[in-house]
Amino acid sequence: MGTPARGSNDGHTLGELAERFGVDVRGDASTRIHGVATLARAAAGQLAFLANPRYRSDLERTGAEAVVLREADAEACPVPCLVARDPYATFARIAALFDPTPALQPGIHPSSVVAADATVDPGAEIGPFVSIGARSVVHAGAYVGPGCVIGEDCVVGPESRLVARVTLVTRVRLGARVLVHPGAVLGADGFGLAMEQGRWLKVPQLGGVTVGDDCEIGANTTIDRGAMDDTVLGEDVRLDNQIQIAHNVRIGAHTAMAGCSAVAGSATIGRYCLIGGGAGVLGHLELADRVTITSMSLVTHSIREPGEYSSGTPIQDNRSWRRNAARFKQLDTLARRVKAASKDTE
Amino acid sequence: MGTPARGSNDGHTLGELAERFGVDVRGDASTRIHGVATLARAAAGQLAFLANPRYRSDLERTGAEAVVLREADAEACPVPCLVARDPYATFARIAALFDPTPALQPGIHPSSVVAADATVDPGAEIGPFVSIGARSVVHAGAYVGPGCVIGEDCVVGPESRLVARVTLVTRVRLGARVLVHPGAVLGADGFGLAMEQGRWLKVPQLGGVTVGDDCEIGANTTIDRGAMDDTVLGEDVRLDNQIQIAHNVRIGAHTAMAGCSAVAGSATIGRYCLIGGGAGVLGHLELADRVTITSMSLVTHSIREPGEYSSGTPIQDNRSWRRNAARFKQLDTLARRVKAASKDTE
Amino acid sequence: MGTPARGSNDGHTLGELAERFGVDVRGDASTRIHGVATLARAAAGQLAFLANPRYRSDLERTGAEAVVLREADAEACPVPCLVARDPYATFARIAALFDPTPALQPGIHPSSVVAADATVDPGAEIGPFVSIGARSVVHAGAYVGPGCVIGEDCVVGPESRLVARVTLVTRVRLGARVLVHPGAVLGADGFGLAMEQGRWLKVPQLGGVTVGDDCEIGANTTIDRGAMDDTVLGEDVRLDNQIQIAHNVRIGAHTAMAGCSAVAGSATIGRYCLIGGGAGVLGHLELADRVTITSMSLVTHSIREPGEYSSGTPIQDNRSWRRNAARFKQLDTLARRVKAASKDTE
């Protein structure tokens, strides 16, 4: 199936692509590319890539017009190829040429409601049914898609893009080129409560959210605003869908978090961390730079050293699991017995 | 309390219901039913059901006008009853008669914004504050509720229903009779990144999402579009709320997933699978047909055989759990010691 | 940075605050407060607080104008202070004076669409792009923010606040002073399915949702409506973001649940429970009052006694974890071996 090369009907020759992206051609440099596809499904006119060795077996049978790959794989390639040091990155750059996302159409849709003291740059596009609150600012080249709600004192930085139905509640400041997917909610009240005489007392959440340049925030992800200081994402932080970032959290630059992971209040995550899907980090902890947490692990203490960390138990057939899980409840007793026995036999 | 039989004030007699749904009446067939309720709370005029034996004790005290149940329970029933092979399914069909969901009112609400080259069938209903993008198509009998955003190149199949505030980002194709609950986001960018010289490079997501006939997609569930091929749900797939389906995932027909479960990129789930609440499936794995994953389990390798699978440890009082969990960290050492000791004593 | 004291430029003296909130001043009672901040970051004109002993070291260096603290900490405080029995609660009440949330502006935004037979009190504010369905009622002092969708037969109680883009699908009744954050969906269909001849049959969801007074519901949280009876939250229940509450669940008054936790269908949670982030409770269970579940634990059976409960394993470096996790799969065998060996040596 692949992807139609909409808006680029003439395509690009391998020679043009090689020059543009600084890679080498093997085979006919006049080969013309009209779109991209996976190695297994690519057809005539389409470019595929090989980066992960597990897909090498797809190479010889590929229907692709050409393939981006490493030097070491070039010999085995039955069609013309682009030889790159990092085929996946090169492919990503080429694929962007075929991305049919519509170009920005500056202006404010007549249905939208913009506060009198808000500022929208004439070079920004505001879609239908958008509401922009007092003192908020939308910079040039920004896109605020249909149904977005921007509250008071927010900033949408230059070339940032709120795809649709994004909410910036209040005091949310996005840097440049921030991409926010539908349903994300930034700047809602942090979960601050004090128990007083048997009832919860709400603690006002007076801080904001600061998001660095080049961040990406997934669909239905939530980032609460700080209680007093801001919740902060460094530059180039990448958050997948349905992630929960509590108030006062700080996430270092270039950290990536997979879907459904969560960070509790006032935790600090380092730079270049990788947080697996569904993983959790408790509040007030610190993670060093370059810490990797595997999927669905729970971090219950600060981690000072880079490296990979995990919790949980392996998946098993339910019958075996039940037997082992029942024994987990006896584990301390078991260990004491072994210890005692080993003393006996010493 | 039960449910008022709005729009069906005259109700239905047991005889009419028995004929319509192919079941038998015991007792007065002219008994008139005006609504449905649980066995424990039903009152005059209401029909209840008994399917799960755990609720059998509610039968003798029920205030229901009549009960749907199995042959074996009919004798113990103090009121007229409908005898069905599958009382729950029969009850579901009868209950649908009392569902007060308003009937479709074809037409496009004047507040909505439809692209010039989009196609809305005159037999579809488009609610207020809806935005429909270029080249998208809404078929006859479809309902697009308030605040929905439909981007470019989407299809809403016949009699499909987007309840409210649903987003179809781009290249999302829904089959017939698909039901999508509020806040769901289909077709957002998959989480595709390449690390290049210390910064993340976004990999364009050029595929779409294909959803088969009769699927149901829960509130705030997210289904990303494929990187190049589509993310695919077979027919009759049922997704609960807050589920995350990553790009390129394929889910087989009739599979049901409970709330907060997640499937990572490029995984393939078989037909008739049951995925428990909060369970996770890692990327690039395959699950055979008829695999059941229990709640909050993490699937870390492909599963080739049908059956039930689990991970995790049992819930305990925190003090006991702490002792056992501490021993988990010594488990390998413990096992080695036991092995060594058993050699000693051999 | 702290928080500007917008709309309260003159601030408040310590003396005024002490009188208003029933606490004592130490030092100059004419000290004027214009905002609040954390002990570590507070500057001139700002009030900070000290409640958690872990932050006591910040006290001597604080740049705060004044501090709220316990009697025992007053001596060590280098600036004027307010002495309170519960400094955090007192601080919360003072901070609310500096909350810049705009005051209610009663009236219905002209862009909104209100059903002819819906009732909106003249003292309520309805923001732009709001849709209100048949027979729904919005009481005095309530706020329905931009992009909210209220379906049929809903009630928004007095002084309740739907921040933005909240959906009340149908038959959702909110009490007084309920606060609902953006993206929350209340009253979507419960996940009710019956398998019939190889296909799923949808079970109509005819109940509603009842939310008691003073509840708070986080961003992108979902609360399904009941199958026949209502899903019920008692008064003063506090739900963080991205929580999933299935149909027919009942949650007792004053219970608080942290982000990403979930409760499956027909479970009953007691009063004053604390459910940790990412924790799950299976369906049809009961939790007694004052049960605490730690983060990411899974409750698989009813809990009858108050106390703290946990499941899971500790986080470790991945290499150690792999070794231990592998042994988990042999745990039953290991335990049998130990048992046999201890018999041997008896």
Side-chain angles (χ1 to χ4, degrees):
Chain A
M1 307 273 296
T3 305
R6 196 174 305 118
S8 57
N9 290 332
D10 294 340
H12 306 266
T13 66
L14 285 189
E16 289 163 16
L17 294 172
E19 191 179 335
R20 184 161 180 175
F21 297 107
V23 297
D24 296 328
V25 189
R26 299 287 160 85
D28 183 358
S30 71
T31 303
R32 195 162 282 277
I33 301 301
H34 297 275
V36 296
T38 58
L39 209 47
R41 288 166 164 257
Q46 292 182 318
L47 180 75
F49 75 103
L50 173 61
N52 187 332
R54 79 193 290 172
Y55 297 113
R56 191 172 287 148
S57 61
D58 289 336
L59 185 60
E60 63 187 49
R61 293 166 289 170
T62 190
E65 193 77 37
V67 178
V68 189
L69 39 60
R70 284 196 193 80
E71 177 72 56
D73 293 315
E75 188 119 341
C77 186
V79 295
C81 55
L82 293 174
V83 173
R85 257 179 309 177
D86 186 343
Y88 189 43
T90 298
F91 182 79
R93 293 187 182 283
I94 295 172
L97 302 178
F98 299 99
D99 189 339
T101 302
L104 203 73
Q105 299 189 300
I108 301 176
H109 193 278
S111 65
S112 285
V113 173
V114 180
D117 56 354
T119 307
V120 176
D121 189 281
E125 176 178 352
I126 310 295
F129 316 124
V130 169
S131 161
I132 300 182
R135 298 171 303 277
S136 285
V137 178
V138 180
H139 284 275
Y143 173 79
V144 180
C148 287
V149 175
I150 298 178
E152 298 79 32
D153 301 295
C154 294
V155 176
V156 179
E159 294 174 59
S160 283
R161 190 173 175 82
L162 314 189
V163 175
R165 284 183 48 243
V166 168
T167 308
L168 309 184
V169 181
T170 193
R171 295 187 290 281
V172 179
R173 301 156 199 106
L174 308 182
R177 298 170 305 278
V178 173
L179 174 59
V180 190
H181 293 288
V185 178
L186 281 70
D189 283 2
F191 196 57
L193 298 169
M195 179 53 78
E196 191 190 45
Q197 298 178 314
R199 299 189 69 84
W200 292 112
L201 173 66
K202 182 170 176 65
V203 180
Q205 302 292 302
L206 304 173
V209 176
T210 300
V211 176
D213 296 343
D214 300 302
C215 289
E216 182 169 356
I217 294 166
N220 286 350
T221 280
T222 51
I223 305 178
D224 281 351
R225 66 180 194 263
M228 285 180 285
D229 303 325
D230 281 4
T231 303
V232 179
L233 268 61
E235 63 163 341
D236 194 29
V237 168
R238 306 289 174 146
L239 303 186
D240 197 359
N241 297 345
Q242 299 200 42
I243 287 173
Q244 152 71 355
I245 305 295
H247 57 176
N248 311 317
V249 166
R250 302 179 76 87
I251 302 184
H254 315 295
T255 283
M257 296 179 61
C260 307
S261 52
V263 183
S266 301
T268 299
I269 310 288
R271 294 157 54 94
Y272 291 107
C273 290
L274 299 172
I275 310 293
V281 178
L282 293 190
H284 296 272
L285 303 185
E286 287 188 30
L287 268 59
D289 294 350
R290 297 185 187 279
V291 165
T292 294
I293 306 297
T294 59
S295 298
M296 291 178 68
S297 297
L298 174 64
V299 183
T300 53
H301 55 75
S302 290
I303 296 179
R304 309 293 183 189
E305 297 297 322
E308 192 175 9
Y309 297 83
S310 304
S311 70
T313 81
I315 187 101
Q316 291 187 275
D317 68 276
N318 182 261
R319 200 169 156 180
S320 302
W321 174 80
R322 278 178 184 276
R323 279 198 296 256
N324 293 321
R327 296 297 186 178
F328 181 88
K329 296 174 73 170
Q330 308 161 353
L331 197 49
D332 184 51
T333 306
L334 184 72
R336 288 174 190 277
R337 187 177 294 184
V338 171
K339 204 172 175 187
S342 63
K343 271 186 194 152
D344 286 354
T345 59
E346 265 162 20
Chain B
M1 304 278 295
T3 305
R6 197 174 305 118
S8 56
N9 290 331
D10 294 340
H12 307 266
T13 66
L14 285 189
E16 288 162 16
L17 294 172
E19 191 180 334
R20 184 162 180 172
F21 296 107
V23 296
D24 295 330
V25 189
R26 299 288 158 87
D28 182 359
S30 71
T31 304
R32 195 163 282 276
I33 301 301
H34 297 276
V36 296
T38 58
L39 209 46
R41 288 165 164 259
Q46 292 183 316
L47 179 76
F49 76 103
L50 173 61
N52 187 334
R54 78 195 291 173
Y55 296 114
R56 190 172 289 147
S57 61
D58 290 336
L59 185 60
E60 63 187 48
R61 293 166 288 170
T62 191
E65 193 77 37
V67 179
V68 188
L69 39 61
R70 282 194 194 81
E71 176 71 57
D73 293 314
E75 187 118 341
C77 187
V79 294
C81 54
L82 293 174
V83 173
R85 257 179 310 176
D86 186 344
Y88 189 44
T90 297
F91 181 78
R93 293 186 182 283
I94 294 172
L97 301 178
F98 299 99
D99 189 339
T101 302
L104 204 72
Q105 300 189 300
I108 300 177
H109 192 278
S111 65
S112 286
V113 174
V114 179
D117 55 354
T119 306
V120 176
D121 189 282
E125 175 177 353
I126 309 294
F129 316 125
V130 169
S131 162
I132 301 182
R135 297 171 303 278
S136 285
V137 178
V138 179
H139 284 275
Y143 173 78
V144 180
C148 288
V149 175
I150 298 178
E152 298 80 32
D153 301 295
C154 294
V155 176
V156 179
E159 294 174 60
S160 283
R161 190 172 174 84
L162 313 189
V163 174
R165 284 182 48 241
V166 168
T167 308
L168 309 183
V169 181
T170 193
R171 295 186 291 280
V172 179
R173 300 158 200 104
L174 307 182
R177 298 170 304 279
V178 173
L179 173 58
V180 190
H181 294 289
V185 178
L186 282 69
D189 283 1
F191 196 56
L193 298 168
M195 179 52 78
E196 190 191 47
Q197 298 178 315
R199 298 189 70 84
W200 292 111
L201 173 67
K202 182 170 175 66
V203 180
Q205 302 292 303
L206 304 173
V209 176
T210 300
V211 176
D213 296 343
D214 300 302
C215 287
E216 181 168 355
I217 294 166
N220 286 350
T221 281
T222 51
I223 306 177
D224 281 350
R225 67 179 192 265
M228 285 180 284
D229 302 325
D230 281 4
T231 304
V232 179
L233 268 62
E235 62 164 342
D236 195 28
V237 168
R238 305 290 175 146
L239 303 186
D240 195 358
N241 297 344
Q242 299 200 43
I243 287 172
Q244 152 70 357
I245 305 295
H247 57 177
N248 312 316
V249 165
R250 303 179 77 89
I251 301 184
H254 314 296
T255 283
M257 295 179 62
C260 306
S261 53
V263 183
S266 301
T268 299
I269 311 287
R271 294 157 55 93
Y272 291 108
C273 289
L274 299 172
I275 310 293
V281 178
L282 293 190
H284 296 272
L285 304 184
E286 288 187 30
L287 268 60
D289 293 350
R290 297 184 188 278
V291 165
T292 295
I293 306 296
T294 60
S295 297
M296 290 179 68
S297 297
L298 174 64
V299 183
T300 53
H301 56 74
S302 291
I303 296 179
R304 309 294 182 188
E305 297 296 322
E308 192 175 9
Y309 297 84
S310 303
S311 70
T313 80
I315 187 100
Q316 291 187 276
D317 68 277
N318 181 262
R319 200 169 155 179
S320 303
W321 175 80
R322 278 179 184 276
R323 279 201 294 259
N324 293 322
R327 297 296 186 179
F328 181 87
K329 296 174 73 169
Q330 308 159 354
L331 197 49
D332 184 51
T333 306
L334 184 72
R336 287 172 190 277
R337 188 177 293 185
V338 171
K339 205 173 174 187
S342 65
K343 271 184 195 152
D344 286 354
T345 58
E346 265 164 18
Chain C
M1 301 284 296
T3 305
R6 196 174 308 119
S8 57
N9 290 330
D10 295 341
H12 307 266
T13 66
L14 286 188
E16 289 162 16
L17 295 173
E19 191 179 335
R20 184 161 180 173
F21 297 108
V23 297
D24 296 328
V25 188
R26 300 286 159 85
D28 183 358
S30 72
T31 303
R32 195 162 283 276
I33 301 301
H34 297 276
V36 296
T38 59
L39 209 47
R41 288 165 164 258
Q46 292 183 318
L47 179 76
F49 75 104
L50 173 61
N52 188 333
R54 79 194 291 172
Y55 296 114
R56 190 171 288 149
S57 61
D58 290 336
L59 185 60
E60 63 186 50
R61 295 166 288 170
T62 190
E65 194 77 37
V67 179
V68 188
L69 39 60
R70 282 195 193 80
E71 176 72 57
D73 293 315
E75 188 118 340
C77 186
V79 295
C81 55
L82 293 174
V83 173
R85 255 179 312 176
D86 186 344
Y88 189 44
T90 298
F91 181 78
R93 293 187 181 282
I94 295 173
L97 302 177
F98 299 99
D99 189 340
T101 302
L104 204 72
Q105 300 189 300
I108 301 176
H109 192 278
S111 65
S112 286
V113 174
V114 180
D117 55 354
T119 307
V120 176
D121 189 282
E125 176 178 352
I126 310 294
F129 316 124
V130 169
S131 163
I132 301 182
R135 297 171 301 279
S136 285
V137 178
V138 180
H139 284 275
Y143 173 77
V144 180
C148 288
V149 175
I150 299 178
E152 297 80 31
D153 301 296
C154 294
V155 176
V156 179
E159 293 173 61
S160 284
R161 190 172 175 83
L162 315 189
V163 175
R165 284 183 49 242
V166 168
T167 308
L168 310 184
V169 181
T170 193
R171 296 186 291 281
V172 179
R173 300 158 199 105
L174 307 183
R177 299 171 304 278
V178 173
L179 173 57
V180 190
H181 293 289
V185 178
L186 282 70
D189 283 0
F191 196 56
L193 298 168
M195 179 53 77
E196 189 191 47
Q197 298 179 315
R199 298 189 70 84
W200 292 111
L201 173 67
K202 184 169 174 65
V203 179
Q205 302 292 303
L206 304 174
V209 176
T210 299
V211 176
D213 295 344
D214 299 302
C215 287
E216 182 169 355
I217 294 165
N220 286 351
T221 280
T222 50
I223 305 177
D224 281 350
R225 68 180 192 265
M228 285 181 285
D229 302 326
D230 281 3
T231 304
V232 179
L233 268 61
E235 62 164 341
D236 195 28
V237 168
R238 306 291 175 145
L239 303 186
D240 196 357
N241 297 345
Q242 298 199 42
I243 287 172
Q244 153 70 356
I245 306 294
H247 57 177
N248 311 318
V249 166
R250 303 179 77 88
I251 301 185
H254 315 294
T255 283
M257 296 179 60
C260 307
S261 54
V263 183
S266 302
T268 299
I269 311 288
R271 293 157 54 95
Y272 290 107
C273 290
L274 299 172
I275 310 293
V281 178
L282 293 190
H284 296 273
L285 303 185
E286 288 187 31
L287 268 59
D289 293 350
R290 298 185 187 277
V291 165
T292 294
I293 306 296
T294 60
S295 298
M296 290 179 68
S297 297
L298 174 65
V299 183
T300 53
H301 56 73
S302 291
I303 296 180
R304 308 292 181 189
E305 296 297 321
E308 192 175 9
Y309 297 84
S310 304
S311 69
T313 81
I315 187 100
Q316 291 187 277
D317 68 276
N318 181 262
R319 201 170 154 179
S320 302
W321 175 79
R322 278 177 185 276
R323 279 199 295 257
N324 292 321
R327 296 297 186 178
F328 181 87
K329 296 174 73 169
Q330 308 160 353
L331 198 49
D332 184 52
T333 305
L334 185 72
R336 287 173 190 278
R337 187 177 292 185
V338 171
K339 204 173 175 188
S342 64
K343 270 185 196 152
D344 285 353
T345 59
E346 264 163 19

